[in-house]
Each structure stands twice: as structure tokens, then as C-alpha cells.
Amino acid sequence: MAISVHTVGGLRDLLELDPVKPDAFLGAGPDLGWGRVYGGQVVAQALRAATLTVSSEFRAHSLHAYFVRPGIETQPVLFEVERVRDGRSFATRQVIAFQAGGAILNLIASFQVDEAGADVQRFSAPTVPSPDELEPVETDLFFEHRRVRYQREPDTVATAWMRAIHDLGDDPALHACAFAYLSDEYPLGVAVLPHPAGENWDELMAASLDHAIWFHRPFRVDDWLLFDLAGHGVANSRGLALAHVFGSDGTHVATVAQEGLVRVRRRRATQTRTRAHPNRDHGGSDADEPRGALMPTTVHHPIFARFYARLAQASDSMLARHRTELLAPALGRVVEVGAGSGSNFARYPTTVESVLALEPEPYLRDAAEVAAGHASMPIEVRDAVAEELPVETGSVDAVVFSLVLCSIGDVAAALSEARRVLRPGGSVLFYEHVVAPTRRLAAVQRGVDHVWPHLFGGCHAARDTVTALEAAGFEDLTFRRLHLDVAHMPTPVSPHVLGRAVSPGR
């Protein structure tokens, strides 16, 4: 059954959720061409879903959200609400946001009935130019903002005016959700700014980890709000930003906190090495001879990479059981060759101690870095090609190839490298589309291979992976054949194999 959601043309549309069953709602967003969903959108819609399950006298006073994995902006998001508690003064809701690949956000929100009491404000708004005196900052999102300052030294601070660009009416609950949408714009940048490379985003991989909001006093998001942020330093690859938010009259209306992940992108070394001969027995002293540099050290398919990242996430539910089956035998130290956007990371079993994920394409490597940050085990993402694995000889327990051998330049060299780094008795785990076992489809595949690699990032439809594994000297080769059609139609890449082979020398 196809899922249909309304078109989003503004912030009010974005906060209009479609009920699908009791306490479950679908949210939609604009297709901005980003690939990933803007984090503020998911937080705002999750808060909206929670709000729709409480009585109107309850107003959100705080929320805490964890970003579990990146969302896909072209897919709707399902929000499932758990009614944790309903009291006389407070109500608590937990919301989990799902897409096809699993949970993307976990949020808990607390609501309170208005109470009379003391009102004491200790924080004062900084003296800054009015929004009308500042130049607008260009954005694709449903707000406008004017930046006052953004500095790393001597103190890491940022100040900006923000407001929604459409009238939101008079519902305070809707304004709280709209505020959540705005609140994700600045904190990550300020959180990572204290990092030594904080002003050079091209050198960093950064992602929001969690987000918190405390609502202090009433406000309107379609009026100007002043965000005054401070970066609190970086430790253990995480940075923290805190924002005090004021109305245009100086009233302290809310406080925002966000923790962000920040890592320096790994660059390949520039030195060259002589690649080992594909048929050499990688044992004894020969295994330590200098190797490398007949292969290209970078892979750059920017258009295909974006297409592949979307395709991988969109097809994740269809391939999930195959990925789980592929990785089930993995244990100990694992090298994943051509990790793509990190689709396998969530499916490694608990028998795995660590994963070194290698991905030479920059766009896909960025996505893999984000996925690794949310993995349940240590995963290091590194820039490397299959023909030169940056791993010591005989040091790993498994090498994983998942829909990658079709696009590797020298398959024999890649499998030779896999055999070199594996301990005796270690496993090659493979899930690949391959040349068809039938003459007719195999002939079609060989025909399309004249153009297919140019269209799909070097992918070859007619690769004979099973024969290549046998030629590389692997033993105990076991596999099963699969046929995966697209929309019930066969394609040149429908034939697949899923299996395991063992490094000799046990």
C-alpha cells in the first residue's frame, strides 16, 4: 500500500501531521535536495505528535531528543507516541520517529498545566542591533535570520535574530513546535567551533547527537527571537552549545542545549607503495614486503554517490534480511570494504569487537561517518581503496564485501588484499550482484556493460564474483543465489549471490 502525505509549502504544513492509528502520525517535509532531513524538522514534528495526545491545558515545558540515525528527506516519517504518564499537573510523552531503515529520533517531552508563582529572570539579553539593521542570511528553511556575531576567540559565541516567515496563529502549542524547528539552526556549528579545525568545515565530520529545550515563558515564533549561544568546549569528539533565547522585549523565553559529534576527516597518505602480486602466498617474510601504488587512491562519483545513498536507504527494508544474514557469521575484528553510506553498521552482531569501514567516495564516506557515530560498537571510517587495505597482514577475522566488488577496478587485487589481511581461517563474507547463471540474461549483462559503468559509478553488471573468489585461493566457498527484481521487473543487476569463503592455512 502506498503512503500518501500532504504537500509541505510552509511551517504550518510541516507541523500538520496525518493520523494513521491511535497515537501514531505521519509527517512530511519539503524536498530541499539535501538528501538528509533537517534535524529541527524531526524534533518539531515529534513534539507536535506528543502535543496531539495531551489535553489543551497542558503546555510543553521541556523536551530531550536523541538523533539516532540520519533521516531521508524524500520519505515520510512515522511518529509513534507512548503515553508515559498523565497527572493532574504534568504529563509525559515519549515519541520515536521511524523511517524505512528504523528509528531516526527518540524524544521525551514533559507538559505542565500553567501555575501561578514567582517569576524571576536572572539572564539579560545582550545589547545588539535590531533585525532591521542587519542583512538577512539566505536559507532554504521556513524561517528568516539575521546574524549579529559568530566568533571562536576569545570566547566561542554566536548571536542571531530568528523568526518564522509565516503567520502561525495564536495556538501556543503550535508556537512551541515551531520554536523546536528554529532551534536546531545554530547549536551544532557553535558546539564544534572550539575545535582546532572548528572554522574549517571541509576538514570535519559533524553531526547532532542530542537536543534539549526548556520553555520558560510564552512567546510567538512569528515575532523576532534573539538566540544568544555559547560553545562550551570539545572533549571525546563531542562539543556542547547552550543558547539563551529572548523575546524582542528582552524576556528570557527559552533555553536550548545541543551536543554534537565532531571528528577530523581522515585523509589518505600521499606516499606511494608497490602493490603485492595478486597470486603471491601472503605468509612468512614475503607478506611484509613493501606494497601499493598501482591503484588510484581516490574515487569520486558525486552524482552517483548521491543517487546511491538515497537508493541504499530507500531499499534498506527490502535488503535488511540479506544484510543480517550476510553479517551473522562475523566476529572479532572486521574490515568492511566499500562501506557506502553505512547501511550495514546497525546489523553487525554482538560477536563483532570492532569494524574498520573503508570508503573512498567522499560523499558516501560522510554519510558513513554519521552512521558510525550512532553504531552500537566501535566503527572507524577511513578513506581507502580495496586494492590497498591499510591493515596489517593476518590481523582481522572477517572481511566484508557488500555490493562493492561490481565497481572495484581490480577485483583480483582486492581479493588478494582481503586474503593478506585475514588470519588463517578468517572469513570473506560477500553479498554481490553477479553475472547470471543463464545464457540469455548473461548476454544482456555483457551487452549493457559497455555503458553501465559510465552511468552507475563504475558498476559492472556481469562480474563473476564466485569464480574470482575461487581464483584468489579461498577455501570452503559456500553461497546461495538470489534474484532481486525492481518493481517486479528483472534488471541487469537482479542476479545476486550471498555467501562465505575461508582464508586458507587453518
Side-chain angles (χ1 to χ4, degrees):
M1 180 179 69
I3 296 175
S4 177
V5 291
H6 62 273
T7 301
V8 174
L11 189 49
R12 294 194 71 157
D13 294 336
L14 185 138
L15 295 175
E16 181 182 335
L17 305 183
D18 299 315
V20 293
K21 62 180 181 179
D23 296 348
F25 309 87
L26 275 179
D31 186 355
L32 303 175
W34 292 8
R36 304 173 191 169
V37 176
Y38 167 58
Q41 172 187 320
V42 189
V43 175
Q45 291 177 325
L47 179 60
R48 186 60 175 164
T51 302
L52 293 173
T53 68
V54 300
S55 300
S56 59
E57 66 267 23
F58 286 89
R59 298 186 183 183
H61 76 84
S62 69
L63 67 82
H64 299 261
Y66 290 89
F67 298 99
V68 180
R69 57 167 60 88
I72 310 165
E73 68 173 354
T74 55
Q75 289 186 9
V77 183
L78 173 66
F79 298 91
E80 293 191 346
V81 184
E82 179 183 352
R83 301 181 184 226
V84 178
R85 179 178 182 267
D86 285 303
R88 288 193 298 269
S89 299
F90 290 88
T92 307
R93 297 291 185 266
Q94 177 171 296
V95 185
I96 301 180
F98 294 94
Q99 286 189 320
I104 64 172
L105 182 94
N106 191 342
L107 175 144
I108 191 161
S110 184
F111 299 81
Q112 181 188 15
V113 174
D114 287 343
E115 294 187 18
D119 189 328
V120 180
Q121 177 172 325
R122 291 296 189 188
F123 284 93
S124 299
T127 301
V128 298
S130 70
D132 294 337
E133 300 176 72
L134 301 167
E135 292 295 321
V137 180
E138 185 177 350
T139 179
D140 295 324
L141 300 170
F142 299 129
F143 53 73
E144 56 180 329
H145 54 125
R146 308 279 196 272
R147 183 177 293 182
V148 178
R149 59 177 177 168
Y150 195 90
Q151 65 184 48
R152 182 168 178 264
E153 300 290 351
D155 297 313
T156 302
V157 293
T159 307
W161 292 99
M162 300 184 70
R163 70 175 176 184
I165 57 177
H166 300 114
D167 177 62
L168 297 177
D170 297 320
D171 181 4
L174 193 66
H175 282 268
C177 298
F179 179 88
Y181 178 81
L182 269 66
S183 69
D184 189 42
E185 171 68 6
Y186 277 97
L188 179 60
V190 176
V192 306
L193 194 55
H195 190 281
E199 294 179 303
N200 301 308
W201 275 80
D202 288 343
E203 298 181 14
L204 298 176
M205 192 291 297
S208 302
L209 295 175
D210 56 354
H211 192 80
I213 303 174
W214 295 266
F215 300 96
H216 306 311
R217 297 173 177 86
F219 57 81
R220 294 185 63 93
V221 178
D222 46 14
D223 289 337
W224 286 109
L225 297 172
L226 182 66
F227 285 71
D228 191 34
L229 302 99
H232 285 236
V234 173
N236 200 27
S237 296
R238 302 192 310 273
L240 178 68
L242 188 67
H244 296 102
V245 185
F246 303 90
S248 56
D249 62 354
T251 302
H252 183 198
V253 298
T255 300
V256 179
Q258 184 175 114
E259 190 174 43
L261 175 71
V262 55
R263 292 172 175 159
V264 176
R265 297 183 191 275
R266 295 185 177 273
R267 305 296 184 187
R268 286 185 54 83
T270 56
Q271 66 268 27
T272 59
R273 299 181 298 172
T274 304
R275 189 180 77 248
H277 192 280
N279 298 319
R280 173 167 293 168
D281 180 9
H282 295 295
S285 60
D286 285 347
D288 297 318
E289 289 180 0
R291 303 181 344 264
L294 298 181
M295 292 295 111
T297 58
T298 59
V299 174
H300 193 53
H301 299 297
I303 297 175
F304 173 75
R306 285 159 174 77
F307 165 78
Y308 177 85
R310 291 193 182 190
L311 178 65
Q313 294 189 0
S315 62
D316 191 68
S317 57
M318 180 179 69
L319 302 180
R321 67 181 186 276
H322 298 149
R323 295 185 188 277
T324 301
E325 179 183 348
L326 167 73
L327 301 173
L331 52 80
R333 298 183 61 195
V334 175
V335 171
E336 181 174 344
V337 179
S341 54
S343 300
N344 286 333
F345 293 173
R347 295 184 171 82
Y348 277 102
T350 56
T351 50
V352 172
E353 298 172 5
S354 64
V355 178
L356 175 61
L358 308 177
E359 176 52 56
E361 211 294 323
Y363 182 87
L364 294 176
R365 189 168 60 251
D366 286 350
E369 288 270 15
V370 174
H374 296 293
S376 60
M377 65 188 62
I379 297 181
E380 178 186 358
V381 179
R382 193 180 297 182
D383 178 9
V385 292
E387 297 90 342
E388 287 186 51
L389 301 182
V391 182
E392 294 180 1
T393 298
S395 62
V396 301
D397 301 289
V399 175
V400 174
F401 292 100
S402 177
L403 302 176
V404 66
L405 286 171
C406 61
S407 59
I408 289 173
D410 189 336
V411 174
L415 294 178
S416 178
E417 276 288 86
R419 182 175 165 184
R420 177 186 67 81
V421 303
L422 281 167
R423 62 169 175 80
S427 299
V428 167
L429 309 177
F430 57 94
Y431 175 45
E432 299 287 339
H433 68 77
V434 295
V435 63
T438 60
R439 284 187 178 182
R440 180 173 296 179
L441 182 51
V444 171
Q445 290 174 309
R446 293 186 180 98
V448 301
D449 262 354
H450 293 292
V451 295
W452 197 267
H454 302 288
L455 298 175
F456 296 104
C459 172
H460 294 74
R463 284 276 166 88
D464 191 347
T465 297
V466 173
T467 299
L469 284 162
E470 292 173 339
F474 288 99
E475 301 175 346
D476 299 337
L477 179 62
T478 58
F479 65 93
R480 68 185 185 97
R481 292 191 180 274
L482 306 153
H483 193 88
L484 302 182
D485 293 341
V486 176
H488 307 292
M489 294 291 292
T491 73
V493 292
S494 287
H496 286 62
V497 292
L498 190 158
R500 178 184 183 185
V502 177
S503 178
R506 285 174 290 182

